[in-house]
Amino acid sequence: MFGISPIGWVHTLGSLPALAMAAYMLVRHGRIVPRSVPGAVYFASMVLGGATAFLVAKQPVSYAIGGLTLVLIAVGYGVHGLSFLGRLRRYIETISLSLSVLLLLVPTVTETLTRVPDGAPIASSVSSPIVLGSHAALLLAFVVGLAVQIVVLRREGGTLAAA
């Protein structure tokens, strides 16, 4: 079905909880909250998805997305322990984890548009206008969403200069 291998299904189904958890946390908290139950599910799902990306990748960009996703998750979840960074930690955490959501959504949208419906996908290739337009919309949503998150962080905890 959809030309997906068994490891591809592990990758796809393993990544799906991250989408749900990201949506939940973004709506409920306005950002990814690493030290929470949904944050733990997001972490596990993203690590599984990022690691298995190397097993299903067919394009060099897929390896880059998988590797960068794992780095962003490590930074986003690890920066809390670096107390010398002060308030800057929350900004680094928020930016890293927000970017990880974008890196989850770009291939998800691309794969969905180029595989569904089975046998007659919406887009014929990754360079089709609908795929490129979807990527542009995701980038715009990311930029606007990140700007809002940073404004909220500044209001909650002072400015970066105060860090």
Side-chain angles (χ1 to χ4, degrees):
M1 179 186 234
F2 302 113
I4 300 177
S5 68
I7 192 66
W9 280 111
V10 170
H11 169 75
T12 300
L13 296 176
S15 300
L16 284 179
L19 286 172
M21 293 301 101
Y24 170 77
M25 288 185 285
L26 289 170
V27 167
R28 175 119 165 108
H29 304 288
R31 65 189 199 90
I32 304 295
V33 181
R35 288 158 301 285
S36 67
V37 172
V41 173
Y42 182 78
F43 175 82
S45 184
M46 288 296 286
V47 169
L48 176 62
T52 56
F54 297 101
L55 302 173
V56 299
K58 294 182 178 136
Q59 302 293 323
V61 70
S62 301
Y63 294 105
I65 290 172
L68 185 55
T69 297
L70 292 173
V71 168
L72 290 168
I73 292 297
V75 168
Y77 279 79
V79 73
H80 182 72
L82 304 176
S83 59
F84 67 90
L85 291 173
R87 290 186 182 132
L88 189 58
R89 292 179 296 181
R90 294 221 26 214
Y91 291 90
I92 294 169
E93 177 183 280
T94 300
I95 293 166
S96 297
L97 296 178
S98 294
L99 189 52
S100 76
V101 174
L102 177 67
L103 291 181
L104 172 63
L105 287 172
V106 168
T108 299
V109 166
T110 303
E111 289 296 311
T112 301
L113 291 174
T114 58
R115 290 181 185 255
V116 176
D118 197 16
I122 295 167
S124 59
S125 74
V126 296
S127 60
S128 101
I130 192 162
V131 173
L132 297 177
S134 297
H135 290 175
L138 287 173
L139 182 60
L140 178 62
F142 167 75
V143 169
V144 170
L146 188 58
V148 169
Q149 289 176 334
I150 289 172
V151 167
V152 169
L153 286 175
R154 288 186 66 158
R155 286 184 182 155
E156 287 177 354
T159 63
L160 278 174

